[in-house]
Each structure stands twice: as C-alpha cells, then as structure tokens.
C-alpha cells in the first residue's frame, strides 16, 4: 500500500520539514511501519552532509554490549574520515544509532564512502551538498520529533510511509533511497517492480551497490546512473517507463528538481496540486489538504505521465 508525498517551492526556502511531516502523518494509515524523509536545504560550498546509521533500531534491544559496538563503529568511521582528509565541522546523534556529520572534503567522496561502508554494520543513508535523508521506524510525528525536522528549512522534499510487504521492517528497507555515491539524488516509490532482479544485476555489473532487497532501491540507482551519464531527469523518467516492468508511481528529487512518473497502467494513485509558487503531490488528497486547507484544485496524473519541476 504505502504512501508517498512530495513538494517543491519555486525560488524560496520554506518549512519543508514541518510541511512534509504534516503530509506524511495524514498518510499514516497507508504505512505504519516506518517513515522517511529526503529534505533539501541550502548547501554551503565545499561542505557535505552525511547521514548514516551504525545499527538497526531493533539492535538496541540486544543489551548493554550494543552500546560499545556502536561506539567502536563510530570511532572507526571518524578514523576513515580523517584518513581521507575530511574535516568534521559538526556532529549530531539524533539517536544513538543514527548520526549526522557536516564535513568539508575536496577528495574523492565515492572512494571515501566505500571505505566507510566497509565498516561492519555501517550504512550511509545519504551524502550530499543539500540532501539530508532521514528514515526510521514509527510514524511521521515520532520521526520528526526525534530528528528535529520541524525546524528544517529548505526548497523541496519527498517522503514515504511504508507498509512492509516483501522485505523486513527495518531502517535498511525503509524509503527514501539514495544512490551511492551520487550526491543529492533520492527516490520514493509506491508499487512493485517485476523485473527488479534482472535490472539489479545489470546495475551491479556496472559497478553500483545495493544495500537492501527492496525493489524501490533500484529506481534510485537507475536514476543516478542515468544522471551520471548525462541523461536529463525528464528523459530518465520517460526511459524508466519503457525499461522497468511493473506497476509504479515514483518521485525523484535532485539538488534542484522534483520529478514524477507513472507506469503504463497508472494503477498506483497520485494527486497533484500546482500553483505559481508551490507544487505538492501525494498518494491521497488528504495529505495535500494537510498543508493547504483552503479551497484548491487538484488532478490525477494520467498513465505514462512524466513531470519535472525546478526549485
């Protein structure tokens, strides 16, 4: 079932953290297992924001020993950052197993990220100039309060409420997905990809990594691969309709764009609102009404429809 949402403000920053929280909380009935955000702030040149997890939420029930394991993993990550010449400007831990670093680095970020993920139990959720990817178990209110998202200012965001159907209830399998090591690309998806394993093996042969067995991660890797090879976001979305089988509606965000695509059957819902200043979309209109309670006109995109908006 699951619920997806996205919004983008044209030419200005806004309280996208609190807006996305309101939208996702309105979609809670579509996915109670986990909630995820990809929010885009105002980047500082030369700085990268790295969000990573050093354990799963359920690991915290394993007893006192897990705290030392986590501490050891963090020590190893910070040693790797230092080895690659990254300067840590700030560090926060919204939860013991989830960390946020602001780093300054002018080396090979892909090589550094690969080295970090060689650490047992460590997964980079996102590393970008503007993107911050946050996901955890619980509904939108719980996750937003834990990670301070109500104070987040930015231009655009996408989000997801997940009902686990074919993979585990854990952070690894939650949306959104970021495609390592490409900066600032994130995806949320509602549907099922039936040629997932064929496409995944193709992407793996091209050198891409997958961190879950969730079919939605493929869309992030596929999109990032296309963008890295000079394909525009709009062309990538159109190409996906031809090359990816199944029923799907998905949203893609980059550092300054938000796009959507629906498959040939258009079986998965999406409602869209557009004005001169704001575009908002979600699996159900109730999510858009959560941030725009006044009288508004919405419409349902057609089959094979692709749209891209610029921040």
């Amino acid at each position: 079932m699951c619920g997806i949402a996205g919004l983008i403000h044209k030419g200005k920053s806004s309280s996208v953290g609190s807006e996305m929280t309101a939208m996702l909380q309105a979609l809670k009935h579509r996915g109670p297992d986990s909630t995820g955000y990809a929010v885009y702030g105002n980047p500082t040149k030369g700085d990268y924001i790295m969000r990573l997890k050093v354990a799963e939420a359920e690991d915290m029930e394993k007893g006192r020993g897990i705290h030392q394991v986590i501490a050891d993993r963090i020590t190893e990550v910070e040693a790797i950052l230092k080895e690659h010449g990254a300067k840590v400007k700030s560090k926060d831990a919204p939860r013991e197993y989830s960390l946020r670093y602001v780093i300054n680095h002018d080396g090979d970020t892909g090589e550094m990220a690969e080295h970090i993920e060689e650490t047992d139990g460590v997964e980079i959720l996102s590393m970008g100039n503007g993107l911050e990817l946050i996901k955890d178990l619980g509904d939108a209110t719980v996750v937003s309060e834990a990670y301070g998202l109500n104070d987040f200012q930015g231009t655009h965001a996408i989000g997801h409420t997940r009902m686990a159907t074919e993979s585990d209830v854990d952070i690894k399998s939650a949306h959104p997905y970021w495609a390592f090591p490409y900066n600032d690309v994130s995806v949320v998806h509602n549907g099922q990809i039936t040629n997932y394993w064929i496409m995944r093996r193709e992407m793996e042969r091209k050198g891409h990594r997958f961190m879950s067995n969730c079919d939605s991660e493929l869309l992030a890797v596929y999109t990032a691969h296309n963008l890295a090879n000079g394909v525009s976001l709009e062309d990538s979305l159109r190409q996906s309709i031809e090359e990816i089988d199944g029923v799907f509606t998905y949203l893609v965000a980059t550092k300054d764009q938000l796009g959507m695509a629906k498959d040939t059957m258009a079986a998965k819902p999406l409602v869209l609102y557009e004005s001169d200043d704001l575009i908002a979309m979600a699996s159900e209109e109730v999510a858009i009404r959560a941030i725009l309670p006044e009288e508004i006109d919405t419409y349902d995109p057609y089959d094979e429809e692709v749209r891209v908006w610029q921040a």
Side-chain angles (χ1 to χ4, degrees):
M1 192 172 177
C2 300
I4 61 175
L7 60 93
I8 185 166
H9 292 270
K10 296 181 179 179
K12 67 174 184 177
S13 291
S14 185
S15 301
V16 293
S18 61
E19 290 170 338
M20 184 52 62
T21 296
M23 294 180 76
L24 294 177
Q25 192 64 18
L27 296 172
K28 177 181 176 179
H29 59 283
R30 296 186 68 89
D33 294 325
S34 63
T35 307
Y37 298 71
V39 289
Y40 289 78
N42 301 306
T44 300
K45 187 176 181 180
D47 286 355
Y48 293 89
I49 301 170
M50 181 173 68
R51 293 271 187 174
L52 75 162
K53 68 175 181 69
V54 292
E56 284 287 345
E58 68 246 27
D59 291 340
M60 306 312 294
E61 301 174 2
K62 293 180 178 179
R64 295 171 59 184
I66 188 63
H67 304 294
Q68 186 59 52
V69 170
I70 287 173
D72 291 343
R73 289 172 179 173
I74 293 170
T75 298
E76 189 167 350
V77 167
E78 293 179 356
I80 293 169
L81 290 173
K82 185 176 180 180
E83 180 181 337
H84 286 264
K87 178 184 177 183
V88 176
K89 299 180 69 174
S90 68
K91 169 188 171 183
D92 299 295
R95 287 185 166 163
E96 186 178 358
Y97 51 83
S98 182
L99 293 96
R100 177 186 188 268
Y101 289 90
V102 178
I103 60 175
N104 188 275
H105 185 244
D106 58 5
D108 187 329
T109 55
E111 182 180 298
M112 181 175 68
E114 286 179 359
H115 193 178
I116 289 170
E117 288 198 332
E118 289 172 2
T119 306
D120 181 52
V122 173
E123 178 186 348
I124 298 175
L125 300 180
S126 66
M127 183 164 63
N129 301 115
L131 166 65
E132 298 196 42
L133 199 153
I134 300 101
K135 52 186 179 180
D136 211 328
L137 307 187
D139 66 24
T141 299
V142 169
V143 176
S144 179
E145 289 179 355
Y147 290 84
L149 284 162
N150 283 332
D151 297 325
F152 190 93
Q153 297 287 312
T155 52
H156 54 303
I158 59 176
H160 187 272
T161 61
R162 181 170 184 258
M163 178 178 289
T165 54
E166 296 187 19
S167 51
D168 294 335
V169 179
D170 54 19
I171 300 172
K172 182 187 291 288
S173 304
H175 300 213
Y177 282 102
W178 167 72
F180 169 96
Y182 303 103
N183 295 340
D184 298 313
V185 177
S186 61
V187 170
V188 294
H189 163 236
N190 183 17
Q192 183 180 37
I193 297 171
T194 53
N195 63 342
Y196 163 69
W197 286 107
I198 294 172
M199 295 290 291
R200 171 171 171 161
R201 284 192 288 269
E202 180 181 339
M203 291 291 109
E204 287 176 327
R205 283 195 294 269
K206 293 176 179 178
H208 299 288
R209 76 66 149 129
F210 286 77
M211 295 301 291
S212 76
N213 290 320
C214 181
D215 60 351
S216 303
E217 187 178 11
L218 171 70
L219 294 167
V221 174
Y222 175 90
T223 302
H225 173 80
N226 287 340
L227 297 182
N229 285 280
V231 179
S232 70
L233 178 58
E234 182 172 351
D235 286 345
S236 178
L237 290 164
R238 295 191 186 283
Q239 188 175 312
S240 72
I241 296 171
E242 300 296 323
E243 296 184 348
I244 296 177
D245 296 334
V247 289
F248 56 82
T249 294
Y250 73 101
L251 309 181
V252 179
T254 69
K255 64 179 181 178
D256 58 2
Q257 290 183 311
L258 175 63
M260 59 76 53
K262 297 189 78 170
D263 71 281
T264 56
M265 292 181 282
K268 296 299 179 179
L270 190 71
V271 181
L272 194 150
Y273 165 80
E274 185 171 7
S275 71
D276 292 337
D277 303 316
L278 171 69
I279 294 92
M281 64 199 81
S283 299
E284 296 181 21
E285 187 169 323
V286 64
I288 300 174
R289 297 283 184 182
I291 61 169
L292 293 167
E294 66 270 16
E295 189 65 30
I296 57 172
D297 292 324
T298 63
Y299 82 95
D300 298 350
Y302 296 107
D303 54 298
E304 299 188 12
E305 186 162 348
V306 167
R307 298 285 304 275
V308 175
W309 298 269
Q310 188 78 30

